[in-house]
Amino acid sequence: MKEIQIENRPALQVIGRYTREDLLIDADPPYILGTRNGEIYWNEMTDDDHCDLLKVLNDHPGPVLLSGYANDLYIDMLSNWQCEERQQVIETGQVRTEVLWINPVAANHGSRQSYRCQAFNTLCTWYIDHH
């Protein structure tokens, strides 16, 4: 992978450090607890944590992709984002609908780029201005 940096720090710190139009954020936080079958992560996020994350992602000037399950908080706060849904078989063998939220910059702006979305096992497209 070329020109990719992985950091093990709190997400809001990292996002704040890289507030740039040419930077793609692929956010895959622990899904909202109310959409899952109990706590499974050592570092769960509260609904308030998700709200803080969504505010920062909404303010990011570049492209953003956000994975999760459908929930009222995301639907309300990301009402101007596009959504792609995919059926996925999860660890328990159940079929769940995962959602990829795509911010307006990623959906509508600049020159076409391709990005491999592992969660959806498909090719997603976002748009970014390289000028």
Side-chain angles (χ1 to χ4, degrees):
M1 294 192 296
K2 192 174 176 185
E3 296 184 28
I4 292 186
Q5 184 167 327
I6 298 173
E7 297 199 25
N8 184 17
R9 299 184 350 193
L12 299 182
Q13 286 180 12
V14 174
I15 294 167
R17 183 175 168 198
Y18 294 103
T19 303
R20 298 188 341 233
E21 291 180 7
D22 65 343
L23 188 120
L24 167 76
I25 295 175
D26 179 13
D28 189 10
Y31 294 179
I32 286 191
L33 190 56
T35 66
R36 299 186 277 122
N37 296 323
E39 295 183 7
I40 58 174
Y41 300 104
W42 66 269
N43 191 12
E44 292 286 352
M45 290 177 66
T46 66
D47 287 355
D48 287 341
D49 293 336
H50 280 277
C51 188
D52 292 342
L53 175 63
L54 296 180
K55 288 176 187 174
V56 170
L57 293 177
N58 250 328
D59 290 342
H60 182 65
V64 178
L65 305 175
L66 173 64
S67 300
Y69 292 136
N71 63 81
D72 291 339
L73 178 63
Y74 282 34
I75 291 167
D76 290 344
M77 290 189 69
L78 305 177
S79 61
N80 64 330
W81 290 35
Q82 290 185 14
C83 293
E84 297 288 334
E85 295 184 351
R86 297 287 188 273
Q87 297 295 310
Q88 299 292 333
V89 178
I90 61 173
E91 298 85 19
T92 63
Q94 295 175 293
V95 175
R96 294 286 311 260
T97 301
E98 291 193 355
V99 180
L100 180 69
W101 281 271
I102 306 164
N103 80 339
V105 174
N108 299 318
H109 187 57
S111 61
R112 185 176 176 159
Q113 299 290 321
S114 294
Y115 175 74
R116 183 77 179 159
C117 299
Q118 293 178 348
F120 292 93
N121 213 11
T122 189
L123 191 63
C124 299
T125 302
W126 82 89
Y127 298 85
I128 180 169
D129 185 6
H130 291 287
H131 300 201

